[in-house]
Amino acid sequence: MTIGTQKKVLSRRASEAEESVTLAITAKANQMREQGIDVISFSAGEPDFDTPDHIKKAASDAMAKGQTKYTPASGLPALRKSIAAKFQRDNGLTYDPAQIVVSCGAKHSLYNVMQAILEEGDEAIIPAPYWVSYPAMVKCAGATPVIVNTEEKDGLKMRPDQLRKAITDRTKCLILCSPSNPTGMVYSEAELKAVAEVCIEKDLLVISDEIYEKLVFGVPFASIATVAPKLRERVVVVNGASKAYAMTGWRIGYAAGPKEIMTAVGRMQSQSTSNATSIAQYATIAALDGDQGCVEKMRVEYAKRRDYIVGRLRKIPGVACGEPQGAFYVFPRVSALYGKKHQGKAITGSNMMSETLLERAHIATVPGSGFGADDYIRLSYATSMEKIEKGLDRLDQFVKELS
Ligand SMILES: Cc1ncc(COP(=O)(O)O)c(C=O)c1O
């Protein structure tokens, strides 16, 4: 569409922005449900648990007290203090509250940080499989995503030599996600140290997405900012309330990093969304300062589901499944099934696999293509054990029907 004869209505940024695959699958599954079809969803990117009661109460108390007005754009001082205390307690990282900005979800934090540090001509390195939004956000900032393909033999984690090879004069930052969405892999302290050495040598900034920090199974969580003190002045750590406290709808994320960057993030946010919702900020203080037993309870439940789902997937011929150590996703390789047909319909890749699974087996998965890994599909186990069992029965049956 144009205005008059020449002016395009949409900016290049808007024209190029792609719809999130995850959201597209969820929309289609919802549509089928509205038609009365019993769809089992493995596509959710959010905890199936309810937000713990003490957190909800803090929000209703804030409402009752009339704490319903603007807050400072970068977040309530009390919340930024709680976040600083969390970083100290959990990660051994010392931040002044002035180095912390609270945003409307970790997604918003990531977006703001990229807007603050990236521009035309810059390159941002993203190991694949990656969370769908990273390349899109880099592009929204005018920069170029440079994808580094990881290998199964390395647990789908980036090796330092792969990082080194991808660096050019234009490389501005590395975007790291551990525990990972979609693979569930977790970088060890040694692996992070090795990656950090390259970043120090090559003068890179690092955006470390640690939103799944609390969901690790049998391995310790490590932050690249913690394990590489020399890199600390160049790392922006992103985290939030969504996954650990089952608070996706409250939209609270935060970033902490070098003062210069974080001041710029706060300044830019003050000209766009201003502060995150006041009552959600009060709720997050309760989440961070309160008893962490609720987090552990959910983690233990996810761990049981992970064990079950991995065990079942490994028994399905043509499905190869590694053991994720974190988050709430499994990322099985299903490419051995490509080329087969389901009642005449050819499975040509992950998009067709997910589409056919939804249409024929009534299970919603997310194609690996959106994560830069077409050989795989993503299944989230942030759903009840009963649904997981039923959904896997359907997947098993579907694969048996392939010819
Ligand atoms: C890796 C990763 N980072 C960030 C986010 C965004 O989290 P939030 O809901 O806090 O915006 C998600 C959500 O799915 C995610 O998977």
Side-chain angles (χ1 to χ4, degrees), residues 84-209:
K86 176 254 171 277
F87 276 121
Q88 193 71 64
R89 182 178 68 232
D90 296 351
N91 313 107
L93 294 171
T94 308
Y95 291 112
D96 187 275
Q99 292 175 274
I100 295 167
V101 175
V102 179
S103 301
C104 309
K107 196 177 217 172
H108 189 217
S109 301
L110 288 160
Y111 184 88
N112 285 345
V113 171
M114 290 189 215
Q115 288 291 322
I117 65 172
L118 294 173
E119 62 196 346
E120 271 78 11
D122 289 341
E123 292 175 355
I125 294 180
I126 305 174
Y130 46 74
W131 183 45
V132 281
S133 295
Y134 299 145
M137 286 182 187
V138 168
K139 286 187 206 160
C140 274
T144 306
V146 173
I147 307 301
V148 172
N149 287 309
T150 61
E151 295 179 51
E152 244 176 46
K153 70 171 174 60
D154 302 316
L156 298 175
K157 296 185 239 188
M158 184 182 62
R159 295 189 312 268
D161 64 293
Q162 293 176 307
L163 170 61
R164 194 181 288 280
K165 242 200 220 152
I167 296 171
T168 71
D169 291 347
R170 300 175 158 222
T171 310
K172 187 81 174 275
C173 74
L174 163 69
I175 302 172
L176 209 58
C177 179
S178 174
S180 155
N181 175 7
T183 67
M185 62 77 193
V186 179
Y187 280 83
S188 71
E189 193 173 322
E191 287 162 345
L192 288 173
K193 272 188 181 156
V195 165
E197 267 174 34
V198 181
C199 298
I200 293 164
E201 183 195 320
K202 298 287 186 182
D203 259 336
L204 303 191
L205 294 168
V206 178
I207 300 174
S208 181
D209 183 348

Side-chain angles (χ1 to χ4, degrees), residues 45-46 104-108 110 131 134 177 179-181 209 211-212 238-243 248 251-253 329 378:
E46 61 181 343
C104 309
K107 196 177 217 172
H108 189 217
L110 288 160
W131 183 45
Y134 299 145
C177 179
S180 155
N181 175 7
D209 183 348
I211 190 78
Y212 294 98
V238 174
N239 207 324
S242 298
K243 316 286 175 169
T248 45
R251 310 308 303 130
I252 295 289
Y329 307 104
R378 191 193 75 178

Side-chain angles (χ1 to χ4, degrees), residues 278-298:
S278 65
I279 57 172
Q281 290 192 58
Y282 284 102
T284 306
I285 296 175
L288 292 172
D289 292 355
D291 183 358
Q292 301 300 298
C294 56
V295 181
E296 180 58 9
K297 233 163 115 182
M298 291 189 264

Side-chain angles (χ1 to χ4, degrees), residues 52-110:
D53 282 341
H54 70 283
I55 299 174
K56 287 187 187 170
K57 184 169 180 306
S60 55
D61 287 352
M63 251 191 285
K65 283 190 227 158
Q67 290 169 323
T68 53
K69 303 291 195 319
Y70 291 134
T71 75
S74 295
L76 287 165
L79 174 54
R80 288 198 278 168
K81 224 169 113 193
S82 293
I83 293 168
K86 176 254 171 277
F87 276 121
Q88 193 71 64
R89 182 178 68 232
D90 296 351
N91 313 107
L93 294 171
T94 308
Y95 291 112
D96 187 275
Q99 292 175 274
I100 295 167
V101 175
V102 179
S103 301
C104 309
K107 196 177 217 172
H108 189 217
S109 301
L110 288 160

